[in-house]
Amino acid sequence: MSETLESAIRDISQACGNDRSRMMDIVEAVQAKYGCVSGEAMDLIAKQVSTHRVEVESVVSFYAFLSEQPKGKVVIRLCDDIIDEMKGSESVAEAFKQELGIDFGETTPDGVITLEKTPCIGMCDQAPAALINNEIITYLSSDLAREIVRKLKKNPDPKKLVGRLGDGNNASHLVHSMVHNNIRLAGEVIFSEMAPGAGLKNALALNPQEVIRDVKTARLRGRGGAGFPTGMKWDFTRQATGDKKYVLCNADEGEPGTFKDRVILTEKSDLMFEGMAIAGYAIGADTGIVYLRGEYAYLRPLLEDVLARRRNDNLLGNDVMGKKGFNFDIRIQMGAGAYICGEETALISSCEGLRGDPKNRPPFPAQKGYLGCPTVVNNVETFCKVARILEHGPGWFAKMGSEGSSGTKLLSISGDCAKPGVYEVPFGIKVREVLDLCDAEDTAAVQVGGPSGQMIGMNQFGDSICYEHLATGGSVMVFNSTRDVLTIARKFMEFFVEESCGFCTPCRVGNVLLKEKLDDIIEGKGKSGDLDYLESLGATIKAASRCGLGQTSPNPILTTIKNFRSVYEAKIAAGKVEEGFQPTFDIHAALQTAEGIAGRKSVHA
Amino acid sequence: MSNTITFTIDGVEVTGQPGQTIMEAADAAGIYIPRLCALEELSPHGSCRVCTVMVNGRPQAACTQPIADGMVVENDTEQILAIRRDIIDMLFVEGNHFCMFCEKSGNCELQALAYRFGIAAPRFPYLFPKRDIDATHPDIFIDRNRCILCGRCVRASRDIDGKNVFEFVGRGFEKRVAVNAEANLADTDAAATDEAVNVCPTGALLKKRVGYAVPVGQRKYDHKPIGSEIEKK
């Protein structure tokens, strides 16, 4: 047995050139083959790529989809976000538990099926959903959950679970998935017809500086959320010294409520790859990497197929489109379940085969990025926009949208509305117009930009969605008047606690403290002064955290206090005991651990 | 003249060399910026965030931020002190720190910082995590209850000792320092002479049998506050 493990790891490592920086590929392959990366496997991998065992452990223990302990042949990961919860994921969870006879985080005694929860898998428009190995199961119900377990018990092959296929490329043999695109509003930038090579051809007719000039003239800003001017980023990278430069595409769409990149990857990856090639030409890079979130592994065969076709058509490879000396190719790097890897420096760390810890800035990726080389990192949607700008000209693009936010934006709309899905809208659109488009009724709150964005109330529905007012990487979650904003905020805080990399103190500890206080308030143990506490603690976390995660993680609490203060105050007032003391300490709960150790109940319990 | 950079810290003009961080230039100028993960002999880490300063109005870590001409740094303001106090509080409630029973007391940088900031008790509730200890090594003792995840041992072992005995595993609140073995420090090549053992700011990594060689009352921070060694310059 050990010998086979040894030879398997030798083969896997050798296939990755025994390269330490390909650690993600190596441990993912071992995980897929053995259901875990055991201590023995870590030793062998370390030996093979000349590193230390603890370095391997460091990586394996960081990512949710990797584990030292063996997992079942089938891993059911039920999506655990607020939208899925609103659509009934709790009853689905119960059904899975009952039918499997295990709790979440456990594996059936026969070692076949593991049951887990996972943060947003990018299917909020078809929730509740689950990831079963690499297969996506949508529109779950408790009945369907039971049926799934019964089928898996007979035949533990998740591929057999895929029911009616989705639309577009989801139905192709390469994807073969139940996922629906739900493209509700197809705008002219992303979803219009494209002829592969059209934008690239125009780009190659210009010199690289002129390409960057066009991107600047179009006033394109990053579509991932932060909104940095793309042309400026490229200019920095172009000017940075380095023989080797890289173009990285951030396809680690993980902000809860965002799924627009999934649709681009399914239907318009050609556009994205084209944008990457244009970026490569502009900055002087010959290698592109798409960092694809582990949840979207089901799309990889399709993406590889598009890449192969583009190579075949000389849209990738040597002397691209006959342009002497311009060589560019793209590979796909799989993620393994870590939201933080959507942060550009954490994404670089992960591509380098490290824990997904963000890096210190400066140096910025434009100076020292992937493997220390100047690197551009842009979002999937940004690259698509680039391809169109080069195809139709910067003026065409810049006249769409608003003053400071040119062009269109893809929104992923979910929650309490009749038409959840993807909408391509011009920047500057008002929240109210968006709510009309998706047929939302009785809307009381909208989360714009996902948990790291802001929760707004009715008095802000007249505000526009753009970088200057309500910024969003794409997530728009709609909540009607029956929803409790505090419960929603708690769900978001749980997410940040779970997804903090733990590198810096304020984010690692502060978010836990925020969540605990919010728990108290929700449980009726709030007291006056709690809102000041939350606000001052939130301010410290935002100011002192090292990366964008911690700098935005208090937003669920801070923006709900700002816009829904009366909800907090009512909750705190309701919990107040008329006279006397308010219990903040539960002695029975505190004694539970000791009672467990002693093996008996307290006498006066 | 072109080889010096001039900037201000709390209005005081400071000069430094290109490539220096704010902390390095401040140290040379005798201005103390509190810190825990930073140590002169180690590469900057930027994780504890105690050295947070305002740079042209934006918060940055002084240990990683390079200096630039005309930079305006705020180090000793109410806003910055409040942030630092919160971070020190967080480090206390995150672990299980019992100064009165700890043999590092008086030599502990976390404790010394708390004294310097006048913290008698943290304002946050204790989180009482379950953390383990490792006494397997004949000469070195690990008590993860007192670990603040500053990464000094990780860096020292890797960059000075050349051993990679320590590394972070897990993430978020579950993050911890692991050793380069199945479980126990005894199964690594760690030695009491390793620099990694000397650099721990708290009592998380200790040499055995020397804990009370220097009696309480004669220890590093018993008479002078932490930072005074820099301010004296």
mmCIF file of all heavy atoms in Angstrom, chain A residues 18-48:
data_model
loop_
_atom_site.group_PDB
_atom_site.id
_atom_site.type_symbol
_atom_site.label_atom_id
_atom_site.label_comp_id
_atom_site.label_asym_id
_atom_site.label_seq_id
_atom_site.Cartn_x
_atom_site.Cartn_y
_atom_site.Cartn_z
ATOM 1 N N ASN A 18 8.404 18.179 -10.485
ATOM 2 C CA ASN A 18 8.927 18.236 -9.108
ATOM 3 C C ASN A 18 9.120 19.681 -8.661
ATOM 4 O O ASN A 18 10.057 20.020 -7.950
ATOM 5 C CB ASN A 18 10.253 17.477 -8.986
ATOM 6 C CG ASN A 18 10.042 15.976 -9.043
ATOM 7 O OD1 ASN A 18 8.996 15.471 -8.632
ATOM 8 N ND2 ASN A 18 11.035 15.262 -9.557
ATOM 9 N N ASP A 19 8.186 20.527 -9.128
ATOM 10 C CA ASP A 19 8.315 21.961 -8.910
ATOM 11 C C ASP A 19 7.520 22.366 -7.670
ATOM 12 O O ASP A 19 6.302 22.205 -7.631
ATOM 13 C CB ASP A 19 7.784 22.673 -10.170
ATOM 14 C CG ASP A 19 7.903 24.178 -10.097
ATOM 15 O OD1 ASP A 19 8.270 24.710 -9.026
ATOM 16 O OD2 ASP A 19 7.611 24.824 -11.126
ATOM 17 N N ARG A 20 8.222 22.909 -6.704
ATOM 18 C CA ARG A 20 7.596 23.337 -5.446
ATOM 19 C C ARG A 20 6.454 24.327 -5.703
ATOM 20 O O ARG A 20 5.458 24.338 -5.006
ATOM 21 C CB ARG A 20 8.685 23.969 -4.558
ATOM 22 C CG ARG A 20 8.223 24.844 -3.407
ATOM 23 C CD ARG A 20 7.816 24.007 -2.224
ATOM 24 N NE ARG A 20 7.336 24.755 -1.084
ATOM 25 C CZ ARG A 20 6.118 25.287 -0.970
ATOM 26 N NH1 ARG A 20 5.270 25.233 -1.967
ATOM 27 N NH2 ARG A 20 5.745 25.873 0.136
ATOM 28 N N SER A 21 6.624 25.163 -6.726
ATOM 29 C CA SER A 21 5.597 26.173 -6.985
ATOM 30 C C SER A 21 4.335 25.580 -7.610
ATOM 31 O O SER A 21 3.330 26.250 -7.747
ATOM 32 C CB SER A 21 6.153 27.296 -7.858
ATOM 33 O OG SER A 21 6.256 26.864 -9.197
ATOM 34 N N ARG A 22 4.392 24.295 -7.984
ATOM 35 C CA ARG A 22 3.185 23.630 -8.498
ATOM 36 C C ARG A 22 2.493 22.830 -7.391
ATOM 37 O O ARG A 22 1.723 21.902 -7.656
ATOM 38 C CB ARG A 22 3.548 22.702 -9.667
ATOM 39 C CG ARG A 22 4.145 23.419 -10.875
ATOM 40 C CD ARG A 22 3.116 24.130 -11.736
ATOM 41 N NE ARG A 22 2.060 23.239 -12.227
ATOM 42 C CZ ARG A 22 2.192 22.444 -13.292
ATOM 43 N NH1 ARG A 22 3.305 22.400 -13.968
ATOM 44 N NH2 ARG A 22 1.187 21.687 -13.683
ATOM 45 N N MET A 23 2.772 23.193 -6.152
ATOM 46 C CA MET A 23 2.240 22.453 -5.003
ATOM 47 C C MET A 23 0.717 22.258 -5.053
ATOM 48 O O MET A 23 0.198 21.199 -4.704
ATOM 49 C CB MET A 23 2.629 23.172 -3.710
ATOM 50 C CG MET A 23 2.223 22.463 -2.435
ATOM 51 S SD MET A 23 3.015 20.868 -2.249
ATOM 52 C CE MET A 23 4.615 21.374 -1.616
ATOM 53 N N MET A 24 0.004 23.295 -5.498
ATOM 54 C CA MET A 24 -1.460 23.160 -5.540
ATOM 55 C C MET A 24 -1.878 22.004 -6.441
ATOM 56 O O MET A 24 -2.739 21.206 -6.086
ATOM 57 C CB MET A 24 -2.111 24.467 -6.032
ATOM 58 C CG MET A 24 -2.069 25.597 -5.035
ATOM 59 S SD MET A 24 -3.003 25.255 -3.528
ATOM 60 C CE MET A 24 -4.673 25.524 -4.094
ATOM 61 N N ASP A 25 -1.257 21.927 -7.600
ATOM 62 C CA ASP A 25 -1.602 20.847 -8.526
ATOM 63 C C ASP A 25 -1.278 19.487 -7.912
ATOM 64 O O ASP A 25 -2.021 18.520 -8.071
ATOM 65 C CB ASP A 25 -0.834 21.015 -9.848
ATOM 66 C CG ASP A 25 -1.258 22.264 -10.602
ATOM 67 O OD1 ASP A 25 -2.438 22.644 -10.479
ATOM 68 O OD2 ASP A 25 -0.421 22.856 -11.307
ATOM 69 N N ILE A 26 -0.159 19.435 -7.224
ATOM 70 C CA ILE A 26 0.268 18.152 -6.648
ATOM 71 C C ILE A 26 -0.694 17.705 -5.544
ATOM 72 O O ILE A 26 -1.223 16.593 -5.570
ATOM 73 C CB ILE A 26 1.717 18.252 -6.094
ATOM 74 C CG1 ILE A 26 2.697 18.544 -7.242
ATOM 75 C CG2 ILE A 26 2.107 16.980 -5.350
ATOM 76 C CD1 ILE A 26 4.117 18.878 -6.797
ATOM 77 N N VAL A 27 -0.953 18.592 -4.590
ATOM 78 C CA VAL A 27 -1.807 18.171 -3.470
ATOM 79 C C VAL A 27 -3.255 17.954 -3.927
ATOM 80 O O VAL A 27 -3.948 17.074 -3.409
ATOM 81 C CB VAL A 27 -1.743 19.147 -2.266
ATOM 82 C CG1 VAL A 27 -0.387 19.044 -1.598
ATOM 83 C CG2 VAL A 27 -2.053 20.574 -2.646
ATOM 84 N N GLU A 28 -3.700 18.711 -4.917
ATOM 85 C CA GLU A 28 -5.054 18.495 -5.438
ATOM 86 C C GLU A 28 -5.156 17.117 -6.103
ATOM 87 O O GLU A 28 -6.162 16.427 -5.958
ATOM 88 C CB GLU A 28 -5.437 19.605 -6.423
ATOM 89 C CG GLU A 28 -5.858 20.888 -5.724
ATOM 90 C CD GLU A 28 -5.933 22.100 -6.654
ATOM 91 O OE1 GLU A 28 -5.764 21.943 -7.876
ATOM 92 O OE2 GLU A 28 -6.140 23.212 -6.140
ATOM 93 N N ALA A 29 -4.110 16.751 -6.810
ATOM 94 C CA ALA A 29 -4.122 15.429 -7.467
ATOM 95 C C ALA A 29 -4.108 14.310 -6.430
ATOM 96 O O ALA A 29 -4.812 13.301 -6.577
ATOM 97 C CB ALA A 29 -2.923 15.308 -8.415
ATOM 98 N N VAL A 30 -3.326 14.496 -5.381
ATOM 99 C CA VAL A 30 -3.271 13.472 -4.325
ATOM 100 C C VAL A 30 -4.617 13.388 -3.613
ATOM 101 O O VAL A 30 -5.138 12.303 -3.348
ATOM 102 C CB VAL A 30 -2.122 13.777 -3.324
ATOM 103 C CG1 VAL A 30 -2.169 12.816 -2.144
ATOM 104 C CG2 VAL A 30 -0.773 13.694 -4.026
ATOM 105 N N GLN A 31 -5.195 14.545 -3.325
ATOM 106 C CA GLN A 31 -6.509 14.577 -2.673
ATOM 107 C C GLN A 31 -7.547 13.849 -3.535
ATOM 108 O O GLN A 31 -8.335 13.053 -3.025
ATOM 109 C CB GLN A 31 -6.942 16.031 -2.455
ATOM 110 C CG GLN A 31 -8.324 16.209 -1.837
ATOM 111 C CD GLN A 31 -8.343 16.021 -0.332
ATOM 112 O OE1 GLN A 31 -7.383 16.370 0.358
ATOM 113 N NE2 GLN A 31 -9.413 15.440 0.189
ATOM 114 N N ALA A 32 -7.527 14.115 -4.829
ATOM 115 C CA ALA A 32 -8.513 13.499 -5.725
ATOM 116 C C ALA A 32 -8.350 11.983 -5.753
ATOM 117 O O ALA A 32 -9.322 11.237 -5.784
ATOM 118 C CB ALA A 32 -8.378 14.084 -7.126
ATOM 119 N N LYS A 33 -7.103 11.530 -5.701
ATOM 120 C CA LYS A 33 -6.841 10.092 -5.827
ATOM 121 C C LYS A 33 -7.110 9.344 -4.513
ATOM 122 O O LYS A 33 -7.650 8.252 -4.528
ATOM 123 C CB LYS A 33 -5.386 9.897 -6.256
ATOM 124 C CG LYS A 33 -5.064 8.504 -6.767
ATOM 125 C CD LYS A 33 -3.640 8.488 -7.329
ATOM 126 C CE LYS A 33 -3.133 7.076 -7.523
ATOM 127 N NZ LYS A 33 -3.528 6.462 -8.775
ATOM 128 N N TYR A 34 -6.734 9.964 -3.393
ATOM 129 C CA TYR A 34 -6.796 9.234 -2.123
ATOM 130 C C TYR A 34 -7.837 9.772 -1.139
ATOM 131 O O TYR A 34 -7.981 9.247 -0.036
ATOM 132 C CB TYR A 34 -5.416 9.235 -1.454
ATOM 133 C CG TYR A 34 -4.392 8.457 -2.241
ATOM 134 C CD1 TYR A 34 -3.496 9.104 -3.081
ATOM 135 C CD2 TYR A 34 -4.346 7.062 -2.158
ATOM 136 C CE1 TYR A 34 -2.569 8.388 -3.827
ATOM 137 C CE2 TYR A 34 -3.426 6.338 -2.896
ATOM 138 C CZ TYR A 34 -2.532 7.007 -3.732
ATOM 139 O OH TYR A 34 -1.629 6.289 -4.463
ATOM 140 N N GLY A 35 -8.522 10.847 -1.507
ATOM 141 C CA GLY A 35 -9.517 11.404 -0.593
ATOM 142 C C GLY A 35 -8.902 12.143 0.572
ATOM 143 O O GLY A 35 -9.600 12.570 1.495
ATOM 144 N N CYS A 36 -7.591 12.292 0.570
ATOM 145 C CA CYS A 36 -6.907 13.053 1.612
ATOM 146 C C CYS A 36 -5.440 13.210 1.209
ATOM 147 O O CYS A 36 -4.976 12.574 0.274
ATOM 148 C CB CYS A 36 -6.983 12.351 2.965
ATOM 149 S SG CYS A 36 -6.097 10.794 3.050
ATOM 150 N N VAL A 37 -4.776 14.108 1.908
ATOM 151 C CA VAL A 37 -3.324 14.188 1.782
ATOM 152 C C VAL A 37 -2.788 13.823 3.167
ATOM 153 O O VAL A 37 -2.679 14.666 4.058
ATOM 154 C CB VAL A 37 -2.856 15.599 1.363
ATOM 155 C CG1 VAL A 37 -1.350 15.616 1.136
ATOM 156 C CG2 VAL A 37 -3.583 16.062 0.098
ATOM 157 N N SER A 38 -2.523 12.549 3.359
ATOM 158 C CA SER A 38 -2.151 12.047 4.679
ATOM 159 C C SER A 38 -0.764 12.534 5.081
ATOM 160 O O SER A 38 -0.003 13.037 4.253
ATOM 161 C CB SER A 38 -2.158 10.517 4.656
ATOM 162 O OG SER A 38 -1.167 10.071 3.744
ATOM 163 N N GLY A 39 -0.457 12.353 6.347
ATOM 164 C CA GLY A 39 0.878 12.713 6.835
ATOM 165 C C GLY A 39 1.963 12.016 6.038
ATOM 166 O O GLY A 39 2.987 12.610 5.689
ATOM 167 N N GLU A 40 1.713 10.749 5.740
ATOM 168 C CA GLU A 40 2.685 9.973 4.959
ATOM 169 C C GLU A 40 2.854 10.597 3.569
ATOM 170 O O GLU A 40 3.978 10.745 3.064
ATOM 171 C CB GLU A 40 2.181 8.528 4.845
ATOM 172 C CG GLU A 40 3.216 7.558 4.316
ATOM 173 C CD GLU A 40 2.638 6.157 4.098
ATOM 174 O OE1 GLU A 40 1.458 5.925 4.458
ATOM 175 O OE2 GLU A 40 3.362 5.308 3.553
ATOM 176 N N ALA A 41 1.709 11.002 2.996
ATOM 177 C CA ALA A 41 1.760 11.623 1.673
ATOM 178 C C ALA A 41 2.534 12.939 1.737
ATOM 179 O O ALA A 41 3.315 13.262 0.838
ATOM 180 C CB ALA A 41 0.348 11.860 1.148
ATOM 181 N N MET A 42 2.330 13.691 2.826
ATOM 182 C CA MET A 42 3.037 14.971 2.963
ATOM 183 C C MET A 42 4.553 14.748 2.996
ATOM 184 O O MET A 42 5.312 15.479 2.361
ATOM 185 C CB MET A 42 2.614 15.673 4.253
ATOM 186 C CG MET A 42 1.205 16.221 4.214
ATOM 187 S SD MET A 42 0.848 17.000 5.791
ATOM 188 C CE MET A 42 -0.923 17.103 5.727
ATOM 189 N N ASP A 43 4.953 13.742 3.750
ATOM 190 C CA ASP A 43 6.391 13.414 3.802
ATOM 191 C C ASP A 43 6.937 13.119 2.412
ATOM 192 O O ASP A 43 8.006 13.607 2.024
ATOM 193 C CB ASP A 43 6.623 12.188 4.707
ATOM 194 C CG ASP A 43 6.733 12.582 6.172
ATOM 195 O OD1 ASP A 43 7.266 13.668 6.451
ATOM 196 O OD2 ASP A 43 6.274 11.801 7.028
ATOM 197 N N LEU A 44 6.170 12.321 1.677
ATOM 198 C CA LEU A 44 6.630 11.918 0.348
ATOM 199 C C LEU A 44 6.673 13.098 -0.619
ATOM 200 O O LEU A 44 7.623 13.240 -1.394
ATOM 201 C CB LEU A 44 5.708 10.816 -0.200
ATOM 202 C CG LEU A 44 5.783 9.477 0.537
ATOM 203 C CD1 LEU A 44 4.601 8.589 0.170
ATOM 204 C CD2 LEU A 44 7.108 8.769 0.219
ATOM 205 N N ILE A 45 5.647 13.935 -0.546
ATOM 206 C CA ILE A 45 5.617 15.103 -1.433
ATOM 207 C C ILE A 45 6.798 16.022 -1.113
ATOM 208 O O ILE A 45 7.491 16.516 -2.011
ATOM 209 C CB ILE A 45 4.281 15.874 -1.294
ATOM 210 C CG1 ILE A 45 3.112 15.018 -1.800
ATOM 211 C CG2 ILE A 45 4.333 17.197 -2.061
ATOM 212 C CD1 ILE A 45 1.737 15.565 -1.440
ATOM 213 N N ALA A 46 7.011 16.239 0.185
ATOM 214 C CA ALA A 46 8.101 17.127 0.603
ATOM 215 C C ALA A 46 9.436 16.626 0.051
ATOM 216 O O ALA A 46 10.248 17.394 -0.465
ATOM 217 C CB ALA A 46 8.151 17.216 2.122
ATOM 218 N N LYS A 47 9.625 15.314 0.139
ATOM 219 C CA LYS A 47 10.870 14.725 -0.351
ATOM 220 C C LYS A 47 10.998 14.926 -1.865
ATOM 221 O O LYS A 47 12.039 15.307 -2.381
ATOM 222 C CB LYS A 47 10.900 13.226 -0.010
ATOM 223 C CG LYS A 47 12.304 12.669 0.160
ATOM 224 C CD LYS A 47 12.276 11.280 0.767
ATOM 225 C CE LYS A 47 12.058 10.239 -0.321
ATOM 226 N NZ LYS A 47 11.828 8.887 0.201
ATOM 227 N N GLN A 48 9.875 14.722 -2.524
ATOM 228 C CA GLN A 48 9.862 14.778 -3.981
ATOM 229 C C GLN A 48 10.174 16.182 -4.526
ATOM 230 O O GLN A 48 10.866 16.328 -5.512
ATOM 231 C CB GLN A 48 8.481 14.308 -4.468
ATOM 232 C CG GLN A 48 8.444 13.809 -5.877
ATOM 233 C CD GLN A 48 9.273 12.548 -6.083
ATOM 234 O OE1 GLN A 48 9.317 11.673 -5.228
ATOM 235 N NE2 GLN A 48 9.951 12.467 -7.215
#
